[in-house]
Amino acid sequence: MEDNNHNSTSTSAMSSASELPEPDVQILTSGGVRIPAHSSILAMVSPVLDNIMERPVKHGSSERVIPILGVPCDAVSAFIKYLYDSMCTEEQMEKYGIHLLVLSHVYLVPQLKQRCSRGVSQRLTVENVVDVLQLARLCDAPDLYLKCLKQVTARFKAVEQTEGWKFMQEHDPWLELHILRFMDEAESRKKRRWRQRKEQRLYLQLSDGLECLEHICREGCTTVGPYDVETAKKPSPCDKYATCQGVQMLIKHLVLCKRRASGVGCCRCNRMWQLLRLHSSICDHPDSCRVPLCNSNGKHNRKWGRMRSGSCL
């Protein structure tokens, strides 16, 4: 009965492809089932099967038999069907995805190999990820291998409790070392990206602060502005008022700070001085710039002592 099922599967695949002559080769499976096929189709899709069929038939037999052993009969049937119609159903992938990956690697069928790599990667679990990882390495499937490494890294606490991990520790310590190194590098990359994002946020904050400082010293914003601009004529809050307000508070503090007046200063004063020095180091027009410490003749440095209402530069 099982033999008839495999024959009908192969026959339907052959009839769906085109009108073909009688099969001239038999595929022998592990269960002793023979699947009829056409050597021309097999040779056209798989260079390995092509080389096998170019060998002379042994013992003078007219019947050519190609054994495909070590995998379930249904998996071999699905593999042969794919060679005819280039189709693999989700049900076949669910049941025989790993076996089809091995067959596609052994018999050099790259399209099926890619299909199986995607299908198997979508079905990774904590229990099978280590086994699939080892298989992906043996089958030279880099995309699947990387997906398995990421899965192990993401769920390592659960993976290291599985039988697959314990078996790998005993029989493949080099792979365990490679996984641990990958995890360490992944953690280092994560920290590096976090540090880079933090630095980028800092650079953006500094850029906004410098823009607001120029804006305040040039035309003023709300209650703080140049000493020669009347308070009533100062514009309404700007688009970056959240940052601008912080700069205004630093300016007010720097002017009124008693510790600065005594020559000591504080952390808030130092922060404002650093912002002024940073601006003066990158300003492209120091001669016309209205920011204190930026003009080379020191004219603007005297503005800190020329205040009105405690809010004008």
Side-chain angles (χ1 to χ4, degrees):
M1 178 66 69
E2 186 179 10
D3 195 356
N4 292 335
N5 291 337
H6 285 288
N7 290 339
S8 61
T9 302
S10 179
T11 302
S12 62
M14 291 184 287
S15 61
S16 62
S18 62
E19 294 297 330
L20 295 172
E22 288 295 319
D24 57 349
V25 64
Q26 297 285 329
I27 306 299
L28 179 63
T29 68
S30 296
V33 177
R34 295 195 175 197
I35 304 174
H38 297 84
S39 59
S40 59
I41 300 295
L42 304 185
M44 182 173 58
V45 180
S46 168
V48 175
L49 291 174
D50 184 25
N51 292 334
I52 292 175
M53 285 179 291
E54 286 182 353
R55 301 172 187 171
V57 180
K58 295 182 179 180
H59 308 300
S61 173
S62 59
E63 184 181 38
R64 184 180 297 276
V65 178
I66 300 177
I68 298 182
L69 310 175
V71 296
C73 302
D74 290 336
V76 178
S77 178
F79 175 67
I80 298 301
K81 183 178 182 299
Y82 182 88
L83 298 183
Y84 276 86
D85 57 19
S86 299
M87 294 180 62
C88 182
T89 65
E90 288 297 321
E91 182 181 359
Q92 291 172 334
M93 188 59 60
E94 181 71 31
K95 293 181 178 180
Y96 311 115
I98 292 178
H99 304 100
L100 291 174
L101 175 63
V102 174
L103 291 173
S104 63
H105 173 71
V106 171
Y107 293 100
L108 299 181
V109 186
Q111 293 83 3
L112 178 59
K113 186 175 180 179
Q114 293 177 2
R115 171 75 174 86
C116 292
S117 294
R118 291 194 301 269
V120 173
S121 67
Q122 295 170 358
R123 295 168 172 81
L124 290 176
T125 65
V126 170
E127 295 297 330
N128 70 6
V129 65
V130 175
D131 297 330
V132 175
L133 175 65
Q134 298 178 78
L135 181 64
R137 183 181 60 168
L138 294 174
C139 292
D140 190 23
D143 293 342
L144 180 58
Y145 186 75
L146 181 60
K147 185 70 175 292
C148 291
L149 283 175
K150 291 181 178 179
Q151 179 93 337
V152 172
T153 302
R155 308 183 67 180
F156 181 70
K157 292 293 185 181
V159 170
E160 68 176 346
Q161 302 299 324
T162 63
E163 293 298 324
W165 179 266
K166 296 174 182 178
F167 182 86
M168 181 199 63
Q169 283 183 308
E170 295 180 4
H171 298 87
D172 198 346
W174 286 107
L175 180 58
E176 179 189 9
L177 179 61
H178 177 72
I179 295 173
L180 295 178
R181 284 178 176 174
F182 177 86
M183 293 172 60
D184 184 62
E185 291 173 359
E187 184 64 23
S188 298
R189 288 193 299 269
K190 182 179 178 180
K191 292 180 179 179
R192 187 163 56 250
R193 287 194 299 268
W194 179 84
R195 186 168 57 251
Q196 290 173 348
R197 287 195 296 267
K198 185 178 179 181
E199 291 173 353
Q200 289 175 355
R201 288 195 297 268
L202 177 60
Y203 293 148
L204 289 174
Q205 291 172 359
L206 284 174
S207 177
D208 291 344
L210 291 172
E211 287 183 13
C212 291
L213 178 63
E214 289 188 59
H215 158 64
I216 292 170
C217 294
R218 183 176 60 251
E219 58 204 21
C221 184
T222 60
T223 61
V224 179
Y227 70 95
D228 53 355
V229 176
E230 295 183 11
T231 305
K233 295 182 179 180
K234 290 174 187 176
S236 58
C238 60
D239 295 336
K240 298 180 179 178
Y241 184 66
T243 303
C244 195
Q245 186 181 32
V247 177
Q248 291 182 43
M249 293 176 65
L250 286 177
I251 292 174
K252 291 179 180 180
H253 173 83
L254 182 64
V255 174
L256 300 175
C257 182
K258 296 180 179 180
R259 295 182 63 182
R260 184 186 71 84
S262 63
V264 179
C266 63
C267 61
R268 297 181 68 184
C269 293
N270 292 335
R271 193 178 306 163
M272 188 66 217
W273 283 116
Q274 289 173 355
L275 191 62
L276 291 169
R277 292 191 186 99
L278 178 61
H279 168 82
S280 64
S281 66
I282 62 175
C283 183
D284 294 330
H285 46 278
D287 294 333
S288 61
C289 182
R290 297 179 62 87
V291 177
L293 297 182
C294 191
N295 192 292
S296 58
N297 60 19
K299 173 183 176 182
H300 290 220
N301 295 355
R302 294 191 294 271
K303 291 178 182 176
W304 297 108
R306 304 167 69 177
M307 292 189 55
R308 292 183 307 144
S309 305
S311 59
C312 297
L313 298 180

